[in-house]
Amino acid sequence: MATYLLGPSRAEPVGDVVLCHGTPWSAAVWAPVAHALAATHRVLLWDMPGYGASIRTGPPGQDPAVDLEAQRHRLAALLQHWNLRAPHVVAHDVGGAVALGAHLLEGSVLASLYLLDVVTLDPWGSPFFRLVAKHEDVFAALPGTLHAALVREYVAGAVAGSLDLRRMDELVAPWTTPHGQRAFYAQVAQLDPVHTRPVVERLGRTRCPVRVGWGEHDPWIPLAQATALAHRLAGTVDVFTVPGAGHLVPLEAPDLLADDLRRWLDRIG
């Protein structure tokens, strides 16, 4: 499992922040925000198995499970491995389901939780997900050029405007190797709402302060889900709407997001 650590260069960090990515990206999606937060905090990131630098390169049939249940077990174990007693966790997309699952089902103790355009409430999972689940082997056998074009178009569909070409290349690159192509369709096929329903049933049992952030024009998960999610969480949960942004807020509006995260972390202490 690939992990990354950033921190202040001239002072002791004031706390630990763990950043959890979603699909179909990796920790790279957090780069601008991670560097901003690292001015004051120790920032820890990971590529979930099946993503980014954690794509398994073994023979077909021996790849690890990449469903949300398996990933939440890994996050809980990773927090223990890092010896983090109560970190702040910031999670995006399916990373939100993973972080909530680690907290609510695996007992991970968190100082706070910031949920950004997260996959949790039904309905989620596009017709494309269902198609891949039925024909994973067919998609995995696509010619490389067609596969690369499909991934690029899929990622582009997450933003409200357009992504910088360099950022787009960074997000797509891990999926364009032969192993990456197989991994791309494996993670799509294994993402299933059945693994988020036990999390949803326990949303009212969160044991730390929670904030919800959402892109104003998220084309994948409508903004209305932000309010619905906030109402189901324990305590009073505020929603921060990121103006003009789509689903990829960490890259579409990194400065606005980093500013809100800094205010949130300052408020929590």
Side-chain angles (χ1 to χ4, degrees):
M1 188 188 300
T3 60
Y4 312 87
L5 173 65
L6 296 82
S9 58
R10 298 182 181 179
E12 287 296 313
V14 298
D16 296 321
V17 180
V18 176
L19 302 180
C20 299
H21 70 82
T23 179
W25 11 85
S26 66
V29 77
W30 285 115
V33 173
H35 284 284
L37 296 180
T40 53
H41 288 72
R42 188 168 65 149
V43 181
L44 303 101
L45 308 95
W46 62 309
D47 285 347
M48 291 190 293
Y51 298 80
S54 297
I55 289 176
R56 175 82 172 261
T57 57
Q62 297 184 25
D63 294 325
V66 292
D67 60 80
L68 296 178
E69 185 175 14
Q71 304 290 18
R72 81 166 189 251
H73 291 317
R74 292 178 181 127
L75 176 58
L78 183 59
L79 296 179
Q80 290 187 339
H81 173 73
W82 277 333
N83 197 27
L84 302 180
R85 295 182 63 184
H88 303 280
V89 173
V90 183
H92 177 238
D93 190 77
V94 297
V98 171
L100 280 165
H103 178 57
L104 295 171
L105 295 166
E106 308 303 322
S108 296
V109 178
L110 308 180
S112 72
L113 189 53
Y114 190 109
L115 302 172
L116 180 66
D117 295 83
V118 295
V119 169
T120 307
L121 300 179
D122 283 341
W124 67 267
S126 66
F128 175 67
F129 275 47
R130 293 189 288 274
L131 185 64
V132 170
K134 292 180 181 178
H135 307 287
E136 181 184 345
D137 291 342
V138 175
F139 281 95
L142 283 173
T145 52
L146 290 180
H147 163 71
L150 185 154
V151 176
R152 190 171 288 270
E153 185 66 21
Y154 184 73
V155 171
V159 301
S162 61
L163 270 187
D164 173 86
L165 182 60
R166 180 175 64 87
R167 291 292 186 198
M168 174 67 79
D169 290 341
E170 287 177 351
L171 297 180
V172 171
W175 303 117
T176 55
T177 68
H179 294 299
Q181 178 168 344
R182 192 172 78 240
F184 178 82
Y185 298 110
Q187 55 91 22
V188 170
Q190 292 184 41
L191 290 173
D192 192 323
V194 72
H195 293 136
T196 54
R197 285 167 193 154
V199 175
V200 172
E201 291 171 1
R202 293 165 174 81
L203 287 175
R205 304 180 194 174
T206 46
R207 305 180 304 281
C208 65
V210 184
R211 184 166 174 80
V212 173
W214 221 271
E216 180 185 19
H217 302 300
D218 188 331
W220 284 6
I221 312 176
L223 179 59
Q225 274 211 20
T227 304
L229 176 62
H231 285 162
R232 299 189 67 156
L233 293 161
T236 301
V237 178
D238 293 330
V239 175
F240 171 57
T241 302
V242 186
H247 187 72
L248 259 180
V249 175
L251 293 180
E252 293 181 80
D255 294 339
L256 286 175
L257 177 58
D259 287 344
D260 191 63
L261 280 168
R262 280 190 288 252
R263 287 191 295 268
W264 166 249
L265 293 171
D266 286 346
R267 195 172 96 195
I268 297 301

